[in-house]
Amino acid sequence: MADAFGLHPLAVEGAVHAHQPPKSERYGDMLFLVLKTIVHVDHEKVTGTSEIVDTGEIMVLAGPGCTIAVRHGSAPPLEGVRRLLQEDPQQLGCGPAAVLHAVADMVVDRYIDVADAFAGYVDTLEAEVFAPEPPSTPHASTSSSENCWSSNAPSCPSPPPCRA
């Protein structure tokens, strides 16, 4: 592909190697863009060890007459972006910049989806943390040491000291 599209060797190297910082670089008439992606990992119940976000990268090379996207990690598929562009010939007619914009737009939308999922987790956590404690029943049994303290039996341990 590098030869067919006349891609700069550094752009090809950047697209092939994952774990790059988000960036945009120009190589002649080609733009190389690294987008960090996040994907929500759904769970029935979230625990302290649950992974709820997975990350990935999409590297996009956009130049005259072509746009090439390379996905790494948990980057979402791009079939939806392709379908939307094919259904909108006017947008697609804007060329590689329109494709680049559509990919970036999808990545940003995924961040919003993950933020919405986090809001649901926060709401659930708040409800659990701030739920009123269940009322104590009037006939609740008391511990044996409480019975000892109230009866002042000689075999019972001393009650804890009072703190004012």
Side-chain angles (χ1 to χ4, degrees), residues 45-136:
K45 180 154 177 72
V46 176
T47 66
T49 59
S50 297
E51 295 289 334
I52 56 176
V53 173
D54 206 1
T55 61
E57 298 168 342
I58 298 177
M59 278 68 159
V60 183
L61 296 145
C66 73
T67 303
I68 301 166
V70 179
R71 297 182 307 127
H72 293 279
S74 290
L78 299 172
E79 287 89 10
V81 173
R82 178 184 212 150
R83 184 179 29 76
L84 287 173
L85 286 168
Q86 288 174 334
E87 291 172 358
D88 187 355
Q90 184 178 2
Q91 180 74 10
L92 190 56
C94 294
V99 177
L100 181 63
H101 176 269
V103 171
D105 188 53
M106 183 269 307
V107 169
V108 170
D109 288 348
R110 293 290 178 120
Y111 274 83
I112 294 167
D113 293 343
V114 171
D116 289 345
F118 267 94
Y121 292 137
V122 169
D123 291 344
T124 300
L125 182 61
E126 283 178 344
E128 289 175 9
V129 169
F130 297 113
E133 291 189 35
S136 59

Side-chain angles (χ1 to χ4, degrees), residues 30-49:
M30 179 141 311
L31 180 65
F32 174 65
L33 188 66
V34 177
L35 301 168
K36 292 294 192 179
T37 63
I38 58 175
V39 178
H40 176 249
V41 179
D42 199 17
H43 296 281
E44 282 188 35
K45 180 154 177 72
V46 176
T47 66
T49 59

